[in-house]
């Protein structure tokens, strides 16, 4: 375990609308890795431990991989302000039990995370989060099914995409049409 100070608590929206909490901390080396972000699990953990910027916290790498909050070793001043709006779409948030939710069904962040989850689970190689952001920004993709409506030439509008990469992306998308049913359901987020 190591100690570090929280610089800021950031929230981002996940595909199910839950706002996840992450602490940006003073960079520290832990188990051979440089750590600057630490998962705070959920809003319940933030509330229970009264976490805020300025707190000195103890960090552990769960399974020697994910940096996680363990405990507060020295509290800072002030308090964490519960966000009244979603950091992605700006719509209002709602607290349900130990979680903060974005109430907007069409939240851009929620939609992006849902599409990204699909891309990763179904196995569309070479389609990164950054590239997906650009596709959403250009209006090529707004929901999962839009991936299958992309035509030759449209991906050339993206930064650093030339003929060869476009062809590869289109082929990778096409391959997923023959995914087995279990993989397809999992990619859609259905258990």
């Amino acid at each position: 375990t190591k100690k570090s100070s929280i610089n800021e608590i950031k929230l981002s929206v996940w595909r199910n609308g839950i706002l996840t909490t992450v602490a940006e901390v003073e960079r520290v080396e832990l188990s051979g890795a440089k750590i600057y972000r630490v998962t705070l699990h959920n809003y319940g953990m933030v509330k229970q431990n009264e976490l805020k910027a300025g707190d000195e916290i103890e960090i552990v790498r769960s399974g020697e991989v994910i940096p996680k909050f363990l405990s507060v070793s020295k509290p800072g001043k002030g308090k964490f302000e519960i966000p009244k709006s979603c950091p992605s779409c700006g719509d209002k948030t709602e607290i349900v039990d130990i979680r903060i939710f974005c109430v907007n069904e069409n939240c851009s962040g929620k939609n992006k995370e849902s599409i990204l989850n699909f891309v990763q689970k179904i196995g569309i190689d070479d389609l990164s989060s950054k590239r997906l952001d650009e596709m959403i920004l250009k209006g090529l993709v707004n929901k999962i099914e839009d991936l299958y409506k992309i035509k030759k030439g449209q991906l050339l509008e993206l930064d650093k995409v030339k003929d060869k990469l476009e062809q590869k992306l289109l082929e990778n998308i096409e391959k997923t049409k023959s995914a087995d049913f279990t993989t397809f359901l999992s990619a859609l987020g259905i258990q």
Side-chain angles (χ1 to χ4, degrees):
T1 64
K2 281 276 176 92
K3 291 180 182 176
S4 185
S5 295
I6 297 177
N7 292 327
E8 185 180 0
I9 296 177
K10 292 204 164 182
L11 293 114
S12 59
V13 67
W14 204 49
R15 64 187 169 96
N16 56 6
I18 295 173
L19 298 184
T20 59
T21 51
V22 174
E24 303 228 332
V25 298
E26 289 295 322
R27 202 173 286 266
V28 65
E29 191 165 321
L30 179 60
S31 304
K34 294 201 185 318
I35 307 299
Y36 57 94
R37 295 183 69 167
V38 177
T39 181
L40 300 177
H41 309 285
N42 54 50
Y43 168 66
M45 182 69 71
V46 172
K47 184 179 177 187
Q48 177 185 340
N49 292 280
E50 298 178 4
L51 294 170
K52 63 209 157 294
D55 285 351
E56 182 181 86
I57 60 171
E58 201 167 337
I59 302 166
V60 67
R61 279 185 76 200
S62 179
E64 295 300 308
V65 180
I66 300 168
K68 291 168 63 172
F69 161 78
L70 217 59
S71 63
V72 175
S73 51
K74 187 175 166 191
K77 295 185 180 356
K79 67 178 202 164
F80 174 72
E81 294 295 324
I82 300 164
K84 304 254 187 286
S85 61
C86 173
S88 185
C89 70
D91 213 325
K92 70 178 189 168
T93 59
E94 178 178 288
I95 296 173
V96 178
D97 195 22
I98 60 169
R99 294 180 174 84
I100 302 173
F101 286 87
C102 172
V103 298
N104 181 359
E105 281 300 313
N106 296 310
C107 172
S108 56
K110 193 186 319 185
N111 289 344
K112 186 234 173 178
E113 288 300 317
S114 186
I115 296 166
L116 187 60
N117 177 71
F118 180 84
V119 165
Q120 292 168 341
K121 293 260 172 81
I122 202 92
I124 301 176
D125 296 332
D126 303 305
L127 185 46
S128 65
S129 176
K130 188 176 177 181
R131 193 164 282 137
L132 180 59
D133 281 338
E134 196 180 354
M135 292 168 77
I136 291 169
L137 192 65
K138 299 248 185 214
L140 293 174
V141 177
N142 292 306
K143 46 193 181 289
I144 293 168
E145 57 263 33
D146 293 341
L147 291 166
Y148 298 96
K149 296 175 184 174
I150 297 170
K151 305 276 186 257
K152 187 169 175 49
Q154 288 183 304
L155 295 176
L156 296 175
E157 297 175 30
L158 305 178
D159 188 40
K160 298 179 183 166
V161 174
K162 305 286 182 238
D163 290 333
K164 194 173 181 179
L165 180 54
E166 180 188 53
Q167 185 60 36
K168 193 175 179 184
L169 279 165
L170 290 172
E171 285 172 5
N172 290 341
I173 291 169
E174 188 63 30
K175 279 185 217 171
T176 65
K177 289 181 178 179
S178 61
D180 64 83
F181 193 59
T182 305
T183 302
F184 177 70
L185 289 178
S186 174
L188 288 175
I190 300 170
Q191 302 248 339

